[in-house]
């Protein structure tokens, strides 16, 4: 059964049956409570999974959390009468939320690269957009939890889980602010990337300088992004995009179909463009100070460019090999043509001049 159907079945049939108190009229109270708790927990797990599929982190509320809702901050009697099981449920929930939030906070945009995929910069933009949205979703849930007085109850009970909740809230706010800031700074790249993807490769070259110009601006203006680990991810992805576009332009079928001279010309366009990109990178790197304000400390690109260009250099190396074999092919073709066009009389004359011995000289001309 597909997951969605299975979930629908659980929601429509199993959970209502379990949760409906009328179904356990004859059961002992403890059993009823237990069944109800399990039904609730099952429902929460399912909701978490369903939201996860949409890229959202749902923090499930503890069972009986509605009982907490109207805890009067001044009233001590309510605290004393608060059911131990409710407190236990809230504390368990805080542990679960912390785990869920940690998973989100630990996510890195470099993951696809590290897994050996070849993501393009769009993945970086999407990562920060997704992260902002998910963290905002989490933030709103934590605020609701605060508003409902669930966190406040832990505070009044001097539960050791209250500081944990506070810390989690602070971390989420910090990460949300950072993700929103980075996403806002990355957005101007979008237009450049779309243009680059829509162009035929021979038109890409004049777009490279403006693209890296924006990258430098991001470096100088977005403090959260001003870290080699982050920038090298973006630069590697830009290289991936260039390799992708170059490969499309040089598609093997086209290369085989077209004239060798045409193939050679296309290869040269790609090699020139990619080498030019490396030059522009070097040039921008040496002029980073021009992007910083006068009173601002200039942060250089103190990372190895070989890391950024690893894949691009590998690609250039392979192109070079293809170029060599294309050249060999062109020479062989030229030779065959010249053989055909050679006057048979002259060959005979040549043979005579060399005393009847066939000369191999002309093959090398
Ligand atoms: C962003 O979220 C969407 C929807 O969940 C998902 O399909 C996509 O893979 C996510 N992208 C990244 C880069 O995480």
């Amino acid at each position: 059964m597909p997951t969605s159907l299975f979930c629908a079945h659980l929601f429509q049939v199993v959970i209502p049956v379990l949760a409906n108190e009328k179904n356990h009229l004859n059961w002992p109270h403890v059993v009823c409570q237990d069944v109800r708790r399990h039904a609730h927990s099952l429902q929460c797990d399912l909701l978490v999974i369903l939201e996860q599929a949409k890229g959202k982190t749902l923090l499930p509320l503890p069972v009986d959390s509605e009982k907490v809702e109207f805890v009067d901050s001044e009233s001590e009697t309510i605290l004393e009468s608060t059911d131990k099981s409710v407190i236990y449920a809230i504390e368990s929930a805080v542990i679960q939320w912390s785990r869920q939030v940690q998973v989100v906070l630990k996510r890195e945009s470099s993951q696809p690269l590290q897994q050996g995929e070849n993501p393009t910069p769009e993945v970086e933009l999407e990562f920060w957009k997704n992260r902002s949205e998910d963290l905002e979703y989490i933030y709103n849930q934590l605020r609701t939890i605060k508003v409902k007085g669930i966190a406040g109850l832990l505070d009044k009970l001097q539960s050791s889980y209250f500081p944990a909740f506070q810390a989690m809230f602070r971390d989420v706010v910090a990460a949300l602010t950072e993700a929103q800031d980075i996403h806002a700074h990355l957005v101007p790249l979008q237009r450049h990337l779309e243009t680059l993807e829509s162009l035929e490769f021979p038109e890409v070259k004049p777009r490279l300088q403006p693209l890296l110009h924006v990258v430098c601006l991001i470096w100088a203006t977005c403090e959260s992004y001003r870290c080699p680990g982050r920038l090298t991810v973006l630069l590697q992805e830009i290289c991936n995009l260039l390799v992708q576009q170059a490969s499309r332009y040089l598609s093997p079928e086209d290369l085989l179909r077209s004239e060798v001279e045409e193939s050679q010309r296309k290869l040269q366009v790609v090699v020139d463009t990619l080498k030019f990109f490396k030059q522009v990178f070097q040039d921008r790197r040496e002029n980073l100070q021009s992007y910083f304000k006068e009173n601002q400390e200039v942060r250089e690109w103190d990372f190895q460019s070989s890391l950024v260009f690893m894949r691009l250099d590998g690609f250039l190396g392979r192109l070079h090999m293809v170029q060599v074999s294309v050249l060999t092919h062109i020479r062989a073709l030229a030779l065959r043509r010249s053989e055909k066009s050679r006057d048979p009389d002259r060959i005979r004359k040549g043979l005579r001049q060399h005393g009847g011995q066939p000369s191999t000289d002309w093959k090398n001309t």
Side-chain angles (χ1 to χ4, degrees), residues 7 14 27 46 49 54 61 91 137 143 163 167 198 202 206 215 249 252 299 306 330 341 361-362:
C7 290
V14 182
W27 297 355
L46 280 171
I49 290 169
K54 291 186 254 165
L61 290 176
E91 290 182 339
Y137 186 64
R143 268 196 38 189
S198 67
V215 172
Y249 175 63
R299 180 81 198 275
S306 56
I330 289 179
S341 64
D361 268 8
W362 55 272

Side-chain angles (χ1 to χ4, degrees), residues 16 59 73 93 128 157 159 165 181 197 211 215 219 234 252 274 343:
L59 309 178
S73 54
W128 290 104
L157 294 166
S159 160
F165 181 87
D181 183 43
E197 265 192 284
L211 174 69
V215 172
W219 178 259
L234 179 64
L274 297 183
D343 176 4

Side-chain angles (χ1 to χ4, degrees), residues 51-56 107 112 122-131 133:
E51 286 298 283
Q52 217 159 39
K54 291 186 254 165
K56 294 283 193 294
R107 251 175 232 151
E122 272 152 50
V123 173
E124 180 74 358
L125 265 102
E126 202 179 65
F127 173 86
W128 290 104
K129 179 170 170 279
N130 283 4
R131 187 174 171 87
E133 287 171 1

Side-chain angles (χ1 to χ4, degrees), residues 180-307:
Q180 285 174 333
D181 183 43
I182 290 178
H183 183 243
H185 279 89
L186 290 181
V187 161
L189 269 181
Q190 187 110 41
R191 194 169 52 85
H192 291 265
L193 297 169
E194 280 165 6
T195 309
L196 215 109
E197 265 192 284
S198 67
L199 290 176
E200 273 288 304
F201 206 77
E203 295 159 46
V204 160
K205 199 171 170 179
R207 306 292 173 150
L208 296 175
Q209 177 117 17
L211 174 69
L212 282 179
H213 177 71
V214 177
V215 172
C216 292
L217 282 173
I218 294 169
W219 178 259
T221 54
C222 182
E223 209 184 325
S224 326
Y225 211 70
R226 206 179 301 142
C227 129
R230 291 212 164 129
L231 193 75
T232 49
V233 167
L234 179 64
L235 289 168
Q236 278 175 284
E237 289 177 342
I238 292 177
C239 288
N240 282 342
L241 177 64
L242 291 175
V243 170
Q244 173 195 296
Q245 294 305 98
S247 306
R248 278 184 194 159
Y249 175 63
L250 290 174
S251 77
E253 302 85 54
D254 282 1
L255 275 191
L256 291 177
R257 232 185 287 124
S258 49
E259 289 284 311
V260 266
E261 285 83 0
E262 169 71 0
S263 303
Q264 197 191 21
R265 195 190 56 77
K266 284 175 120 186
L267 282 164
Q268 201 52 49
V269 167
V270 170
V271 170
D272 283 349
T273 308
L274 297 183
K275 286 191 171 162
F276 179 72
F277 178 69
K278 292 182 71 174
Q279 270 172 29
V280 177
F281 169 84
Q282 199 51 37
D283 173 62
R284 288 301 90 198
R285 178 181 212 159
E286 282 157 20
N287 289 290
L288 271 179
Q289 78 283 351
S290 63
Y291 292 92
F292 286 84
K293 292 198 195 86
E294 263 179 41
N295 52 0
Q296 206 182 354
E297 194 198 336
V298 179
R299 180 81 198 275
E300 299 291 346
W301 285 353
D302 51 0
F303 48 80
Q304 300 269 323
S305 55
S306 56
L307 170 72

